[in-house]
Amino acid sequence: MSDDTEILQDWIPGTPNYRTRAYIILGIGLAYTLFVLITTAMFLVVARNKRSGLEKRSVKLIVFQALGCYFVGVDGLVTAALNNWACFGKLWLFNIGFIMSLAAMSARAFHLFVVYRVHELASQLSSKTPGAINASSKSIIQNESEKSIHTDSRLISTVVHKPSRLNSTLYRANPYDRIRLEQRLRKYRRLMRFTTDRMLLLYVGLLLLFIVVLTFVINATDKQFRLRPMNIVCEFMWGFIPALSIIVFYFFLMFPIILWRVWRNNDAYGIRNDLIVCDTVGIVVMIVTLVWVLRLHETQQIWPGLSYIWVYALFIHVSSVLVPLIYAIKHMQRANEGAVSQQIYARHDGLQAPVYTLGVSSRRADFNRMLDSALEYQRFRSFAASCFCSELTSFVEEYQILKSQVLALLDHQTTKVANDSCDSSTAAIMHHEAPLELNRLSQSIVDNILAQDMDYAEDFQRTSATVSILETVRDKYANINPDTLMFPPQLAPKIFGMYREFVDPASITSVNASSLVVRRITERINSNFLHISFFDELKDEVLLMLYSDVYTRFIRKLSNA
């Protein structure tokens, strides 16, 4: 406040106007405190449910962000209510609150950006599509991909409409594109080590330590911000400038750059919306506050400009905590009920997609049909990547490849038995007394079969992704005892590779399976017990996770499109 500014006597402490303002803001402050405490507590409780999806939003960082926003909001409300609010308290809440919230927001953005890129690239590089995919469906994919830039479809989707998002089917035609994608995937996977909670909280902690030391220095060098003697007349002087410079850096440089990088991200967890709200509201509030404090001196006595930072805190909390919480609760209800009351149709150049009649009795059947349809699965796989669940679809695809290889080996063994029994009837062959064993195949034969391109399995019989290897063998081969059938040694590297990628808790692509299933598979891998039912339990859990979580979001997105 400048020396020539007239002091408004109606708004000095003790006047009716001052007391009325203080009581109103006190009520707002209490309501705000309850709102923050209740919504944050509910967020933490709901986040413990795996179906909510909140755990993928970096729960610890959101708690830090909410705490920082609360400090900012309290600072703004107390400043508006009390003229004799100590400058010491204003400075500490301003510095700590803003830096904590902005650091946590930027850490969340970095985490979601890297994780989304890993899942997106992994999905593009995946070249295995489960289900009954034959030569005709493969040609449909290629033909439709050429038309997709001219047509619009809600349900049938092949390649995405930009060269950077071409479906992996087309990438296999150009090895250089695939090599480029693999290099990018390796780069982002190396960055994954910096996206752990420990590393991101370390980043936030270092910034907080820096601002705490800086604030102590300001307290020691500027008498208006000292605790003793306490000063209540706070000029907007250099004490706020260091933290304000960091805030300007985030609002005008870091957040716009991050927003530009994540703008095309179609992730299901809304970091782009959070950044837009944070940056837009933050810039507007900062400009209004500066103009209010530096120019509107008399109005500043009636309603302090620093109080508007509460608006910023409220918007960020609603965007980052309340809105995701509401969506998570609704999503869990849909996942539990398993019903959506509408039908979805789609046409693509006169081709009508299967009708989705979504209800309690048909929804799982629709999910199973989707897994076995080449065109529908392509879009679902891309959506799963946006939900950071590409490891689930990748496991299903690898499981289908493993099933195809087992069927190919058994077909060869059955053919060998038939050739060795030329004088026997077909019935005698199918009920051959000696049980077939995959271990009896020679190394060269197995290597030749496994070298076949199993991506689309045009030369081998494929089964639904929902049918296990054990069930398939039991139904197809009457002369084989599946209860004693083991994987051949030649498939052991693939089994161990799938374990390291999808089961080992240390893997960044491990599926979020139950501890019981992980323990059983680990015991089998340690005892080298490679029965053909090795991954069947895990397959069932993965399909359940895809159905109850990702497919529920997928249907909701289609219904809102």
Side-chain angles (χ1 to χ4, degrees), residues 111-341:
H111 169 261
L112 292 179
F113 170 72
V114 173
V115 173
Y116 178 83
R117 284 288 187 268
V118 168
H119 284 272
E120 181 190 43
L121 293 170
S123 177
Q124 291 178 355
L125 284 168
S126 179
S127 60
K128 296 94 175 178
T129 303
I133 301 179
N134 49 33
S136 61
S137 62
K138 180 179 178 181
S139 64
I140 290 176
I141 293 176
Q142 294 173 339
N143 294 336
E144 294 297 329
S145 66
E146 299 172 355
K147 301 176 184 178
S148 62
I149 57 175
H150 305 295
T151 57
D152 180 31
S153 171
R154 289 181 180 270
L155 186 58
I156 296 182
S157 176
T158 54
V159 299
V160 185
H161 305 278
K162 295 182 180 180
S164 61
R165 291 189 177 187
L166 284 175
N167 184 275
S168 58
T169 303
L170 301 183
Y171 274 118
R172 293 202 306 277
N174 190 340
Y176 297 104
D177 288 336
R178 189 172 183 85
I179 292 174
R180 179 175 57 85
L181 285 179
E182 290 173 346
Q183 291 174 343
R184 292 178 60 195
L185 179 59
R186 285 194 294 270
K187 179 185 73 173
Y188 284 112
R189 279 184 169 172
R190 286 194 296 268
L191 290 176
M192 286 288 288
R193 74 185 71 172
F194 302 108
T195 64
T196 62
D197 284 343
R198 176 179 297 181
M199 294 299 296
L200 294 177
L201 290 176
L202 177 63
Y203 157 73
V204 176
L206 289 176
L207 278 179
L208 280 178
L209 179 61
F210 169 76
I211 202 65
V212 166
V213 173
L214 181 63
T215 307
F216 269 123
V217 172
I218 295 173
N219 292 150
T221 56
D222 191 337
K223 63 180 181 180
Q224 82 168 330
F225 293 108
R226 290 176 183 173
L227 182 60
R228 292 181 180 179
M230 185 177 295
N231 186 17
I232 61 174
V233 180
C234 308
E235 298 289 346
F236 202 85
M237 296 177 64
W238 78 272
F240 287 97
I241 292 178
L244 189 60
S245 301
I246 299 176
I247 294 171
V248 170
F249 168 76
Y250 274 106
F251 283 155
F252 289 93
L253 185 61
M254 177 173 284
F255 283 167
I257 291 176
I258 296 176
L259 191 58
W260 169 67
R261 293 291 293 171
V262 304
W263 186 258
R264 74 177 186 88
N265 284 16
N266 190 29
D267 72 276
Y269 302 107
I271 189 60
R272 182 175 64 183
N273 297 336
D274 286 354
L275 284 171
I276 292 174
V277 172
C278 180
D279 204 36
T280 304
V281 176
I283 290 175
V284 171
V285 168
M286 186 174 64
I287 293 174
V288 170
T289 301
L290 289 174
V291 171
W292 205 277
V293 171
L294 299 178
R295 293 297 181 184
L296 305 178
H297 299 299
E298 293 185 357
T299 309
Q300 166 79 2
Q301 300 177 57
I302 301 174
W303 192 273
L306 196 61
S307 63
Y308 288 105
I309 62 177
W310 172 74
V311 178
Y312 161 83
L314 181 62
F315 268 88
I316 301 305
H317 188 84
V318 169
S319 173
S320 300
V321 178
L322 180 61
V323 173
L325 176 63
I326 294 174
Y327 278 122
I329 292 174
K330 290 183 178 180
H331 172 71
M332 289 191 300
Q333 291 174 348
R334 295 189 190 96
N336 292 332
E337 294 171 1
V340 179
S341 58

Side-chain angles (χ1 to χ4, degrees), residues 153-155 342 344 379 554-561:
S153 171
R154 289 181 180 270
L155 186 58
Q342 67 178 19
I344 300 173
R379 182 166 188 172
F554 180 65
I555 291 300
R556 176 175 167 268
K557 179 181 179 181
L558 292 181
S559 64
N560 293 334

Side-chain angles (χ1 to χ4, degrees), residues 5 51 70 119 150 165 314 318 336 375 398 452 515:
T5 301
R51 292 187 178 183
Y70 178 71
H119 284 272
H150 305 295
R165 291 189 177 187
L314 181 62
V318 169
N336 292 332
L375 297 177
E398 290 294 337
Q452 301 290 331
S515 58

